[in-house]
Amino acid sequence: MRYFKLTIAYDGTDFHGWQVQPNGSTIQGEISGVLRRITQENIALHGAGRTDSGVHAHGQVASFRTQSALSAQEFQRALNAILPAAIRIVAAEEVGPSFDARWSARGKIYRYRIYRGRVVPPMLWRYVLHYPFPLDEEAMKDGAARFVGTHDFASFAASTGSEDDDKERSTVREIYSSELARTPDNEELVYTVRGRSFLRYMVRKMVGTLLDIGRGKLTPPDIDRLYELRDRAKSGPTVPPQGLCMVEVQHEEAWRVGAP
């Protein structure tokens, strides 16, 4: 048995998220289907995270095992030859049996783009939230910094759909860095966050909360209060998915084949 790691980029606009769904095309479903065609095996593809419908990726990571004799480079070429153009395998490598795209991850980076100009260029509308109205960006930057550290993010997460499950799950997460900055062309406000793992809708709720701070509906210290409240109705709205992108999933180099 051999083990492989894929680094994947995709435009999530026309897909129903990462995870296989009974109805609708998904990133995991598309890649799994092509792997089955290539190997004639029932391949189980495991992703580092489940991006939602409309969310994009530059560096999603997935892993699978196979008895195929194909090299990593041959898998990459074959996948890119068959997959829709909106999904690209940007890297493929053989790894050791202990590697798992999700459980071996040590950090994830997400980025959310807010377009501040009056008119969104046609080539950008799929990838940004358009918000041309006044914002207190300095207050938003202060708020962003307050996400760093280990906190209970219950106020910034979607419900599981079950009250019992909501009570049982842990909503404590560690954020390594959290920054808001203008792009060099001054047209976009970009939020970049890095953490070990994230709850569903967590980044989008965090951005919605920062926007409410920018609009004056909340203040930066309110973020500390929201940790204590554990009430998602009190935080900002869940912003639309198209501005969000999974930029990178970080793994330790020791998982590579032949690493000491």
Side-chain angles (χ1 to χ4, degrees), residues 132-146:
F133 310 108
L135 288 171
D136 184 342
E137 295 183 13
E138 290 306 311
M140 294 172 70
K141 291 177 182 178
D142 183 358
R146 294 172 185 262

Side-chain angles (χ1 to χ4, degrees), residues 57-213:
H58 290 316
Q60 169 72 282
V61 172
S63 56
F64 67 95
R65 62 180 186 174
T66 177
Q67 295 182 9
S68 171
L70 292 175
S71 68
Q73 290 68 36
E74 288 170 326
F75 269 116
Q76 182 181 13
R77 287 195 296 269
L79 284 162
N80 283 337
I82 302 172
L83 284 167
I87 306 173
R88 293 293 87 179
I89 308 302
V90 296
E93 58 187 299
E94 190 165 358
V95 292
S98 298
F99 180 86
D100 181 276
R102 180 181 179 188
W103 301 113
S104 301
R106 294 295 176 263
K108 297 175 185 175
I109 300 174
Y110 284 92
R111 185 169 295 150
Y112 197 94
R113 298 168 62 185
I114 303 169
Y115 192 81
R116 302 288 286 130
R118 188 172 61 86
V119 179
V120 180
M123 66 287 297
L124 291 184
W125 71 271
R126 287 173 174 254
Y127 312 108
V128 298
L129 168 67
H130 187 209
Y131 196 89
F133 310 108
L135 288 171
D136 184 342
E137 295 183 13
E138 290 306 311
M140 294 172 70
K141 291 177 182 178
D142 183 358
R146 294 172 185 262
F147 287 129
V148 175
T150 301
H151 307 287
D152 188 335
F153 282 90
S155 291
F156 303 92
S159 171
T160 62
S162 164
E163 288 188 14
D164 290 338
D165 288 346
D166 284 348
K167 292 176 182 177
E168 292 295 326
R169 69 171 174 169
S170 171
T171 49
V172 174
R173 294 292 186 274
E174 182 179 5
I175 298 299
Y176 304 138
S177 62
S178 171
E179 297 178 346
L180 191 74
R182 282 273 189 162
T183 53
D185 62 10
N186 211 38
E187 290 293 320
E188 293 182 31
L189 191 60
V190 178
Y191 176 62
T192 305
V193 60
R194 175 175 173 260
R196 178 67 180 266
S197 64
F198 296 83
L199 299 160
R200 190 179 186 196
Y201 295 167
M202 179 173 154
V203 177
R204 290 164 60 190
K205 286 281 281 182
M206 291 161 71
V207 173
T209 300
L210 293 178
L211 282 171
D212 269 2
I213 290 174

